[in-house]
Amino acid sequence: DIDMIFMAVSQDESVRLKPIFNQQYASKIPFYALSEIYSGGQLPVQYDFDNIRLQTMPWQLQSVTHSDLPQRDEITGAYKASEASVSIAALGVDAYNIMMQFEIFKQFSGNTISGVTGTLYQASEGVIQTKRDWIIINKNRITPYDITQ
């Protein structure tokens, strides 16, 4: 019995691996994957990613407006070299925003901040953690997924 399959592979590898499982009648088994298999936007038709669940990682800074973060244009311009670099920049933006508000943030234990990389909250002993949303891919469309189901 197999309860689930976790693919810790790149997008190129997952494009080759998922059809093999489907061909072996494993398409109904829940698939989980790293966020690297989805780089945003519409998936190509030839990608058979149905039934794959993954955590979202809004690694692009496109959803952040200039008024929210005046340095956004400079950051995205500096990291145009690769999407992985923009991912690191997005994480850094949240760290910067928390640093600027940390004294206020730590006074309220139930406080959350909607960051670029997800919902930020304070765990025990002042540790800041990120809660990201889950998505599922079906018919090459992305929809929210409740991981507690």
Side-chain angles (χ1 to χ4, degrees):
D1 275 348
I2 296 176
D3 293 325
M4 56 85 78
I5 297 170
F6 181 78
M7 295 191 303
V9 295
S10 69
Q11 186 179 54
D12 290 341
E13 294 165 326
S14 64
V15 169
R16 293 188 296 270
L17 186 61
K18 179 71 165 73
I20 292 170
F21 282 105
N22 291 348
Q23 192 174 25
Q24 298 301 319
Y25 307 103
S27 62
K28 299 290 184 207
I29 296 172
F31 278 78
Y32 292 85
L34 299 173
S35 62
E36 282 80 7
I37 71 161
Y38 175 65
S39 58
Q42 182 67 33
L43 291 165
V45 176
Q46 68 270 22
Y47 286 14
D48 187 6
F49 281 175
D50 277 2
N51 203 25
I52 295 180
R53 297 151 179 90
L54 58 131
Q55 264 192 333
T56 58
M57 178 58 181
W59 47 91
Q60 302 292 334
L61 294 173
Q62 296 162 348
S63 63
V64 179
T65 65
H66 187 76
S67 62
D68 291 338
L69 182 70
Q71 306 88 340
R72 182 197 68 144
D73 298 332
E74 296 160 26
I75 293 169
T76 53
Y79 290 98
K80 287 261 190 226
S82 73
E83 290 199 23
S85 299
V86 176
S87 165
I88 294 166
L91 291 169
V93 167
D94 278 345
Y96 174 79
N97 288 336
I98 286 289
M99 181 185 72
M100 300 308 277
Q101 304 174 30
F102 189 69
E103 288 303 316
I104 297 167
F105 190 70
K106 74 178 184 179
Q107 290 177 11
F108 303 100
S109 61
N111 200 8
T112 61
I113 294 176
S114 293
V116 176
T117 57
T119 303
L120 305 166
Y121 64 97
Q122 184 176 339
S124 62
E125 299 178 19
V127 174
I128 305 299
Q129 294 189 342
T130 304
K131 178 182 181 252
R132 294 191 295 255
D133 295 325
W134 284 81
I135 59 172
I136 187 166
I137 303 171
N138 278 319
K139 297 184 173 101
N140 284 6
R141 293 179 184 254
I142 308 302
T143 55
Y145 177 72
D146 183 2
I147 191 70
T148 61
Q149 291 180 350

